[in-house]
Amino acid sequence: MRTWVAPGRVNIIGEHTDYNEGFVLPIALPLVVRCAAAARADGQVRVASRQRPGEPVLVAVSELAAQRERVPGWSRYPLGVVAGLVQRGHRIPGVDLDLDGAVPIGAGLSSSAALSCAVAIGLRDLFAPSLTDRALIDLARAAENDYVGVPTGLLDQSASMLCTAGHALFLDVRALAADPATASRGVAHEQIPFDLDRFGLELLVIDTGQPHDLVHSGYAERRAHCARAAAELGVAALRDVASPALLDRIRDDVSRRRARHVVTENARVLAVAEKLRRGADPREIGPILTAGHVSLRDDFEVSTPALDAAVAAALTAGAYGARMVGAGFGGSAIALVDRERTTAVVAAARKHFAAVGFADPRTFVVVPSAGAHSVN
């Protein structure tokens, strides 16, 4: 068997902007999902996961569509990638997929996209070597959208496939979606150096331990709010709204607040990207990260008491900025901290969580890492 890996991600800034055709700025994590894969000749797909002990899932390639509702939820991610590749006309005689993930599930660090992308790049190398990374992004997203039933944007899969070590990925989602060729020409995305170590800084992840579930959360509802707001404003997407002042035309208060988050979040992405692009001290982006959390908490209403507690504890302990990451409804927060203050921030978060009755959070430092690739 050969092995491929794909990373999870954290967004430096840019939540819920991807499906509004806007801008995002993620980094890939050093935490990955591993996919060991080998072709088989009996027309069967076998999927096993170290995180899901028990009998492997076995489905005939010809039955992937029919069996969708009958297979375990976790297996729909890899099976959806196989189904998508077959649907696109690629022949798969059968395949064994053995999975092992180090990206915490439900932590808002995109474990599902890491899984889908690890399988996608493995299947590409085994059965469809002409497919581009851009095509794999679409394949992995379609698996989540169509086979799993989660209406995600392009962010998570793009980060898992396109990020490079030592850099943040500035991604123009509209440009990437409009013309797949722009991905290879670098028009839709840019690698921006993100070297916190040089400035004595670290990026701390605080996993609240409260998992989010995009299938059953309010994620789809938030997307509908955004689409409704864009339609009322007469624009193709909220990315086209030049100023928050224009949002006063939206009659419904909830839709107006959802739109305000997206419009101001796009501006925050552009501001952070410009600071990093010109080599500014990353401490300068701290207040922008915190402003993003306030917007997600108050306007988009996807934060939780545990996420708010993590952010508050980090800021009180000296973080330059902190915010929830991912789609929300649970998961993790990030904090930008001086290297010598990391231990104190961790202690403050644990003390705060204990005081309000939350379970001890998991904490770890992350660095910008490589995107999906083969390891043998």
Side-chain angles (χ1 to χ4, degrees), residues 92-109:
I92 297 182
V95 66
D96 286 316
L97 300 170
D98 289 317
L99 308 169
D100 186 9
V103 185
I105 297 171
L109 304 178

Side-chain angles (χ1 to χ4, degrees), residues 25 50 52 57 88 106 117 182 209-210 248 259 288 290 302:
L25 191 71
R50 188 170 182 179
R52 305 286 183 172
V57 176
R88 286 161 174 75
C117 288
T182 62
Q210 298 182 355
D248 291 340
I288 304 176
T290 305
V302 293

